[in-house]
Amino acid sequence: MENNLEYKVQYADTDAYGVVWHGTYLRWMEAGRVEWLLDKGIRIDELARDFGIVMPVVDIKIRYKYPAKLMNNVVVTTSVKEFSNASVTFEQIIKIKETGKICTTAEVRATATDKNGKIIRDLAGLIGLKSENSDSQCISR
């Protein structure tokens, strides 16, 4: 399953030259992952409030390819690349909507923990990614 989140680059997203600051892409990717979960019927605020579950990022591999600029419309595409009982790796791509130019690509691995920091060993089941026969599986698109 893939989610696309659209966003117009605002002044606060950029540096003094009107180019998107590198850390802004990470914030957009976070929003993309939250929307991906919402599409699956999972509200991240309810996970934390009602169940004491949080989903911290534990690894990010990001590649910056082309700069987005002030007033560009960007699309954050989020999908699951692979998962296990303890983590999920999202593939995320940010493109400029009008040109299709890729700004960034990233693999973001997250886990789930309880309020005491203990890893939840059924993350795949928690977010509806049960594999039939193994601890790890790739999702094909």
Side-chain angles (χ1 to χ4, degrees):
M1 184 176 99
E2 184 176 276
N3 175 277
N4 292 305
L5 176 66
E6 294 187 23
Y7 181 80
K8 182 178 288 296
V9 177
Q10 302 297 310
Y11 186 74
D13 300 321
T14 65
D15 61 18
Y17 305 102
V19 174
V20 171
W21 175 67
H22 69 278
T24 300
Y25 296 101
L26 297 173
R27 186 170 37 86
W28 294 344
M29 289 177 188
E30 179 79 23
R33 292 188 304 278
V34 169
E35 288 298 315
W36 185 92
L37 288 166
L38 193 56
D39 277 356
K40 305 260 311 157
I42 300 163
R43 290 186 44 156
I44 201 153
D45 59 332
E46 289 177 355
L47 278 180
R49 182 187 65 233
D50 300 342
F51 303 102
I53 297 171
V54 294
M55 290 185 63
V57 169
V58 294
D59 187 41
I60 296 177
K61 294 178 184 142
I62 188 167
R63 290 166 192 83
Y64 296 95
K65 297 178 173 272
Y66 186 83
K69 296 182 180 170
L70 183 61
M71 301 307 289
N72 281 156
N73 293 299
V74 295
V75 178
V76 181
T77 302
T78 303
S79 59
V80 171
K81 180 177 181 183
E82 60 188 21
F83 63 89
S84 70
N85 286 334
S87 70
V88 60
T89 301
F90 293 94
E91 179 177 62
Q92 296 192 273
I93 300 168
I94 298 177
K95 292 182 182 180
I96 296 174
K97 183 177 180 180
E98 294 80 8
T99 65
K101 286 196 178 233
I102 296 174
C103 300
T104 61
T105 62
E107 291 180 12
V108 181
R109 188 166 55 98
T111 191
T113 67
D114 66 17
K115 62 184 176 184
N116 298 316
K118 182 179 176 190
I119 293 176
I120 295 170
R121 295 285 175 190
D122 190 23
L123 176 58
L126 180 71
I127 62 174
L129 295 173
K130 279 292 189 191
S131 66
E132 294 178 12
N133 56 1
S134 71
D135 183 48
S136 182
Q137 177 176 335
C138 290
I139 304 294
S140 59
R141 288 184 267 152

